[in-house]
């Protein structure tokens, strides 16, 4: 990819369930360059408001580069109003990516909460047919938020769901699904993305059972280029930026607050 900043056209911006959307960009250079776990920084409007771009994981990169997002505030509300043919100013790909599972790994377990499932579809695309047992543990609000599980299943993932209201899967938190994780430190590797309390629970479970893994972190961002230090988080190695040093960190490295 020659430039890190490009303008790409919206191909589709589909509402999938209340507040959740999938936006596809005609972005061949991005599709070619993106690695699972990386993110893009979107200028949602050509005006001073909102001033900062908004970061989103790339959800899938096939013919188009897609993001899967929740409209929760002014930036994502503007994004949800984009139509086919609109142009978006994009910085990316940014940040590091998920590492491949270490040698000897047989089971890859992805633990996702809510919109934290976003980086895992592209990741499972990259791991399918490579001989791993793929497991997705997904904590969602209701059945309506689990529509994308079929894409994971097509990639060969065994999917276990927990919902807040029990409308599908187990009622309660995703931590109730931890019993599905094979407890062999030599052959199981974990990846997690979601709210910090959920990732802290994954971290504690992993530590207790001597399992290794990686966590994809989120912080409010400004520059997304490692310059402003606005997205710093505390790690065992001191403060690190989510945008430049991350968003993917060793699971035991992050101090979740
Ligand atoms: C690396 C990275 C990848 C991301 N990937 C996705 C994705 O794939 N899909 C998606 O829907 N969202 C993702 N996010 C979060 C997304 O960037 C925010 O939801 C978005 O910026 C909110 O903008 P807004 O103007 O709509 O709301 P704002 O008004 O900016 O925020 C609304 C509320 O959300 C909080 N908030 C804003 N940004 C974040 C954040 N990064 N982490 C935690 N809380 C936040 C604010 O403090 C506020 O309470 C990602 C964030 C990062 C850092
Ligand atoms: S957002 Fe500026 S350093 Fe990360």
């Amino acid at each position: 990819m020659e430039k890190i900043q490009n303008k790409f056209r919206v191909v589709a911006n589909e509402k999938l369930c209340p507040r959740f959307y999938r936006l596809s960009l005609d972005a061949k250079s991005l599709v070619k360059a993106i690695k699972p776990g990386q993110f893009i920084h979107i200028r949602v409007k050509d005006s001073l408001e909102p001033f900062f771009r908004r970061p989103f994981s790339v959800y899938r990169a096939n013919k188009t580069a897609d993001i899967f997002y929740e409209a929760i505030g002014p930036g994502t509300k503007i994004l949800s109003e984009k139509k086919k043919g609109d142009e978006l100013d994009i910085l990316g790909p940014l940040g590091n990516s998920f590492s491949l599972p270490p040698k000897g790994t047989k089971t890859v377990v992805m633990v996702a909460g809510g919109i934290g499932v976003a980086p895992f579809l592209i990741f499972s695309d990259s791991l399918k047919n490579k001989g791993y047992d793929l497991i997705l543990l997904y904590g969602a609000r209701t059945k309506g938020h689990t529509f994308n599980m079929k894409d994971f299943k097509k990639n060969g993932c065994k999917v276990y769901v927990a919902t807040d209201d029990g409308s599908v899967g187990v009622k309660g938190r995703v931590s109730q699904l931890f019993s599905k994780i094979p407890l062999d430190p030599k052959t199981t590797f974990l990846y997690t993305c979601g709210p910090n309390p959920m990732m802290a629970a994954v971290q504690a479970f992993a530590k207790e059972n001597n399992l290794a893994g990686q966590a994809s972190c989120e912080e409010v961002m400004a520059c997304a280029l490692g310059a402003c230090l606005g997205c710093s988080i505390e790690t065992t190695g001191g403060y690190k930026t989510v945008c430049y040093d991350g968003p993917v960190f060793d699971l035991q490295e992050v101090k979740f607050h």
Side-chain angles (χ1 to χ4, degrees):
M1 186 145 153
E2 290 143 25
K3 288 189 294 175
I4 198 170
Q5 183 177 2
N6 287 284
K7 289 201 169 177
F8 297 120
R9 280 204 190 279
V10 173
V11 175
N13 191 15
E14 192 189 349
K15 186 173 187 171
L16 299 167
C17 66
R19 306 212 316 197
F20 281 46
Y21 295 77
R22 178 177 182 152
L23 183 140
S24 305
L25 293 164
D26 182 10
K28 287 187 187 62
S29 54
L30 194 56
V31 167
K32 248 173 89 179
I34 201 88
K35 294 195 198 105
Q38 287 190 299
F39 69 97
I40 56 175
H41 212 25
I42 303 183
R43 187 171 165 81
V44 294
K45 202 173 178 186
D46 279 334
S47 66
L48 285 177
E49 260 312 307
F51 187 70
F52 293 113
R53 290 168 184 268
R54 298 293 194 264
F56 299 92
S57 305
V58 169
Y59 179 60
R60 203 156 222 187
N62 281 338
K63 288 192 182 111
T64 54
D66 299 357
I67 61 162
F68 173 59
Y69 68 98
E70 180 174 14
I72 53 164
T76 44
K77 166 102 187 12
I78 294 168
L79 205 56
S80 72
E81 288 158 1
K82 296 292 168 191
K83 302 265 178 296
K84 184 177 173 183
D86 287 349
E87 234 179 24
L88 281 174
D89 187 319
I90 308 280
L91 274 189
L94 299 173
N96 63 1
S97 55
F98 291 121
S99 304
L100 279 177
K103 214 171 160 215
T105 300
K106 288 193 181 131
T107 310
V108 169
V109 184
M110 296 164 274
V111 187
I115 207 73
V117 76
F120 288 135
L121 188 60
I122 183 173
F123 191 42
S124 69
D125 284 342
S126 74
L127 294 180
K128 72 174 173 188
N129 305 326
K130 294 238 164 89
Y132 300 112
D133 287 334
L134 302 177
I135 296 179
L136 174 70
L137 309 183
Y138 182 40
R141 277 173 221 163
T142 69
K143 189 177 178 190
H145 294 84
T146 62
F147 49 84
N148 51 5
M149 296 299 105
K150 63 177 185 314
D151 290 330
F152 283 94
K153 287 180 185 165
K154 274 188 203 157
N155 280 348
C157 296
K158 275 193 205 125
V159 176
Y160 300 96
V161 175
T163 46
D164 294 346
D165 62 358
S167 53
V168 63
V170 171
K171 185 173 193 293
R173 303 225 162 114
V174 74
S175 49
Q176 283 175 254
L177 302 170
F178 287 176
S179 58
K180 307 290 180 195
I181 301 175
L183 297 179
D184 181 352
K186 290 202 182 103
T187 58
T188 296
F189 198 75
L190 302 175
Y191 296 89
T192 186
C193 184
N196 278 355
M198 186 209 82
M199 293 204 285
V202 178
Q203 185 185 59
F205 178 86
K207 191 164 189 188
E208 217 170 279
N209 294 287
N210 214 13
L211 298 174
Q214 293 192 319
S216 177
C217 296
E218 287 191 8
E219 259 312 315
V220 177
M221 288 186 180
C223 71
L225 296 168
C228 72
L229 307 185
C231 66
S232 300
I233 57 166
E234 201 180 353
T235 73
T236 51
Y239 281 90
K240 292 191 179 175
T241 60
V242 171
C243 68
Y244 190 75
D245 301 312
V248 180
F249 295 89
D250 181 274
L251 179 56
Q252 298 303 334
E253 181 186 3
V254 183
K255 295 192 178 179
F256 294 109
H257 295 295

